[in-house]
Amino acid sequence: MRAAPTRRKIVLTSSNTAVLEPTGSVLTPDSTPAGPAGPLFNDFDISQQLKDRLAKAGFVTPTPVQAKAIPPALDGRDVLATAATGTGKTLSFLIPMIDYMDNTPAPPPVQAGKRQVKPIRSLILLPTRELAMQVLEAYGKIVPNAKGDAVLVCGGLSEGAQLEAVRRGPRLVVATPGRLEDYLKRGEISLRHVETLVLDEVDRMLDMGFLPAIRRIVGALPRDRQTMCYSATLDANIAEVVRDYVHQPVRVEIGTTSKPNERVELRAYTVMQDQKLSLLEKLLAEGEGTYLVFSRTKHGADRLSRKLEKLGHVTSVIHGDRSQSQRTAALKTFATGKSRILVATDVAARGIDISHIAHVVNYDLPGASDDFVHRIGRTGRAEKTGVATTFVMPQERNDARKMERDLKIKFQWLETDKNLKKEERNAPLDLQSVNDVMQLETRSWKTGSGDDKTQQSAPSASRPAGAGQRRRRSGSGGGGSRSGRARSGR
């Protein structure tokens, strides 16, 4: 933990001074020593210049996680925070970081090749490009000239431009672990003078297999630093990992992170696979606002997007196989309201920070309870309400019931209109009328419709067994192990 500047004290309101809790204590909203209306950003012991920039950006009242995490961080303490998605974690670490860099002398320039540059003072590690770009955008709202002051280091973007920006000597680097570790190995970046480290979405980074990279990156940092760790969940495995990186941290817990946001209305429909599209179209016609629709697979997301476009809906799509420019464009189109629907795989469950999403639709049932929590965490953000609708096929009903028990939730079970239009499936073939056997081989993929798994892996009764087997072997590389899907972002 770095030494705290003597100017710092913890002030939450103009009339109340907070005392830091003993090490290991848990700070909750109920114990906030604030005035009747709660703390304001103006009440924090930060520079007037930063207060003015926050006010200009429209930030007035801190969220609970900001009210609890910012004061100890301003005092130089390490912070270990768990909070549900959409609670304002980004500002809770940016404000102390910015205030410290603005009000303490920078380390002397360091030698970089043939020239001297300012050292990197702060490092933020996140699991996805989208999250990293959103943090950089938030930084730009409260820091003038942020373009040369902070650098994005992540995969999927021009390496040359990133390296050139790093060589100019930014004071902040916002990075994903894989690309940053690569630069470290090649000697393209120095982290020897980092004063503040933020590990955001720690649980997600571990899920994606980034632990070895994180260990090597942290090993390149000075031990005398401040560390702030944020995670949606904090089970025993995660706690054991972060214990190596924080020193006597102040624990901040806001809300319950293992269950869905209580402001989100949970609905479930029992629906046949061939009626899902019609049910989704019915929801779109009846409800207002934007829709984030989750598909289990990348191919399913693409196919659903094409179907919705044919029905006249302006739709964006995002998943692990999309290029960075495609993903950025899709998010921008959705965030600005040019498209009402965003179809996504779980790569977007924690990587999107858009406050106005009104509806989340689980077009395919998620594979795990945690995935469900993070999917629907995209709505009901910033004190707003939202609706999450889950499509459950009859054979999945037991899985959905188990999810209810595991998460201690209760779906509002709704009946699907039996008269909903069904998607057309391939009609049976008359083998006697087929002259070219290759028609049987190519027929399923030409249609481009239907469920991923049933279309690609279940051999048709009217298709030769050998053809189906050849097709499964040739496509086996796209599935991979569970861990492989996690790494690629699905």
Side-chain angles (χ1 to χ4, degrees), residues 189-209:
I189 193 169
S190 172
L191 303 175
R192 289 179 298 169
H193 297 87
V194 167
E195 299 161 312
T196 305
L197 168 66
V198 174
L199 299 173
D200 194 16
E201 300 277 6
V202 175
D203 50 344
R204 180 64 171 161
M205 287 197 286
L206 298 188
D207 287 345
M208 296 174 69

Side-chain angles (χ1 to χ4, degrees), residues 366-383:
S369 297
D370 284 348
D371 291 334
F372 177 83
V373 172
H374 293 297
R375 282 184 181 188
I376 72 168
R378 300 304 97 195
T379 187
R381 299 166 73 85
E383 304 303 318

Side-chain angles (χ1 to χ4, degrees), residues 112-232:
K114 295 182 179 180
R115 54 181 178 171
Q116 288 191 328
V117 298
K118 294 180 292 183
I120 296 167
R121 302 186 66 183
S122 297
L123 171 65
I124 302 173
L125 287 181
L126 308 105
T128 67
R129 288 169 285 187
E130 284 73 28
L131 278 173
M133 294 169 75
Q134 288 163 14
V135 167
L136 204 61
E137 182 181 358
Y139 182 82
K141 290 180 180 178
I142 51 178
V143 175
N145 305 317
K147 189 173 182 180
D149 190 49
V151 168
L152 181 67
V153 172
C154 65
L157 299 175
S158 168
E159 180 179 289
Q162 289 183 54
L163 288 176
E164 180 59 31
V166 168
R167 289 164 187 155
R168 286 197 294 267
R171 65 177 187 172
L172 168 65
V173 169
V174 183
T176 53
R179 177 57 64 92
L180 182 62
E181 184 194 22
D182 178 50
Y183 287 177
L184 272 176
K185 287 180 177 177
R186 291 157 49 188
E188 298 286 359
I189 193 169
S190 172
L191 303 175
R192 289 179 298 169
H193 297 87
V194 167
E195 299 161 312
T196 305
L197 168 66
V198 174
L199 299 173
D200 194 16
E201 300 277 6
V202 175
D203 50 344
R204 180 64 171 161
M205 287 197 286
L206 298 188
D207 287 345
M208 296 174 69
F210 283 134
L211 180 57
I214 292 171
R215 289 197 184 281
R216 285 188 280 269
I217 290 168
V218 175
L221 304 179
R223 294 183 64 85
D224 183 24
R225 65 172 190 274
Q226 181 182 30
T227 303
M228 292 179 273
C229 293
Y230 289 79
S231 181

Side-chain angles (χ1 to χ4, degrees), residues 67-329:
K68 284 299 176 183
I70 289 175
L74 286 172
D75 195 54
R77 297 286 298 273
D78 285 2
V79 173
L80 179 55
T82 49
T85 56
T87 54
K89 291 183 288 183
T90 302
L91 276 187
S92 71
F93 58 74
L94 281 183
I95 288 175
M97 175 187 294
I98 292 168
D99 189 64
Y100 182 81
M101 291 190 295
D102 285 350
N103 294 285
T104 55
V110 295
Q111 196 71 28
K114 295 182 179 180
R115 54 181 178 171
Q116 288 191 328
V117 298
K118 294 180 292 183
I120 296 167
R121 302 186 66 183
S122 297
L123 171 65
I124 302 173
L125 287 181
L126 308 105
T128 67
R129 288 169 285 187
E130 284 73 28
L131 278 173
M133 294 169 75
Q134 288 163 14
V135 167
L136 204 61
E137 182 181 358
Y139 182 82
K141 290 180 180 178
I142 51 178
V143 175
N145 305 317
K147 189 173 182 180
D149 190 49
V151 168
L152 181 67
V153 172
C154 65
L157 299 175
S158 168
E159 180 179 289
Q162 289 183 54
L163 288 176
E164 180 59 31
V166 168
R167 289 164 187 155
R168 286 197 294 267
R171 65 177 187 172
L172 168 65
V173 169
V174 183
T176 53
R179 177 57 64 92
L180 182 62
E181 184 194 22
D182 178 50
Y183 287 177
L184 272 176
K185 287 180 177 177
R186 291 157 49 188
E188 298 286 359
I189 193 169
S190 172
L191 303 175
R192 289 179 298 169
H193 297 87
V194 167
E195 299 161 312
T196 305
L197 168 66
V198 174
L199 299 173
D200 194 16
E201 300 277 6
V202 175
D203 50 344
R204 180 64 171 161
M205 287 197 286
L206 298 188
D207 287 345
M208 296 174 69
F210 283 134
L211 180 57
I214 292 171
R215 289 197 184 281
R216 285 188 280 269
I217 290 168
V218 175
L221 304 179
R223 294 183 64 85
D224 183 24
R225 65 172 190 274
Q226 181 182 30
T227 303
M228 292 179 273
C229 293
Y230 289 79
S231 181
T233 59
L234 193 65
D235 60 26
N237 291 333
I238 298 169
E240 184 177 353
V241 169
V242 299
R243 184 180 59 192
D244 296 336
Y245 305 138
V246 293
H247 175 68
Q248 296 183 340
V250 173
R251 279 283 286 117
V252 177
E253 285 186 286
I254 303 296
T256 302
T257 61
S258 59
K259 63 183 297 185
N261 190 328
E262 294 180 356
R263 294 189 299 274
V264 178
E265 181 182 348
L266 304 178
R267 302 173 181 172
Y269 283 90
T270 301
V271 59
M272 301 299 293
Q273 177 68 38
D274 58 3
Q275 288 185 303
K276 283 185 177 182
L277 182 61
S278 295
L279 179 56
L280 176 57
E281 193 173 18
K282 182 173 183 289
L283 297 179
L284 290 166
E286 294 175 349
E288 297 180 352
T290 52
Y291 280 74
L292 175 56
V293 183
F294 281 102
S295 169
R296 183 179 294 115
T297 67
K298 294 175 282 191
H299 297 301
D302 283 333
R303 190 158 48 244
L304 178 57
S305 177
R306 290 194 298 268
K307 292 176 183 178
L308 290 169
E309 292 279 2
K310 287 181 180 179
L311 292 171
H313 300 284
V314 181
T315 307
S316 302
V317 62
I318 178 173
H319 56 66
D321 276 355
R322 304 281 282 178
S323 69
Q324 183 58 44
S325 60
Q326 288 174 320
R327 295 163 74 167
T328 302

Side-chain angles (χ1 to χ4, degrees), residues 28-40:
T28 63
D30 294 336
S31 61
T32 303
L40 302 175

Side-chain angles (χ1 to χ4, degrees), residues 409-425:
I409 60 174
K410 186 68 176 176
F411 287 125
Q412 178 188 355
W413 286 92
L414 302 169
E415 291 296 323
T416 303
D417 184 354
K418 294 182 173 56
N419 296 319
L420 278 177
K421 181 180 177 181
K422 297 182 178 181
E423 287 189 76
E424 292 185 7
R425 298 289 177 164

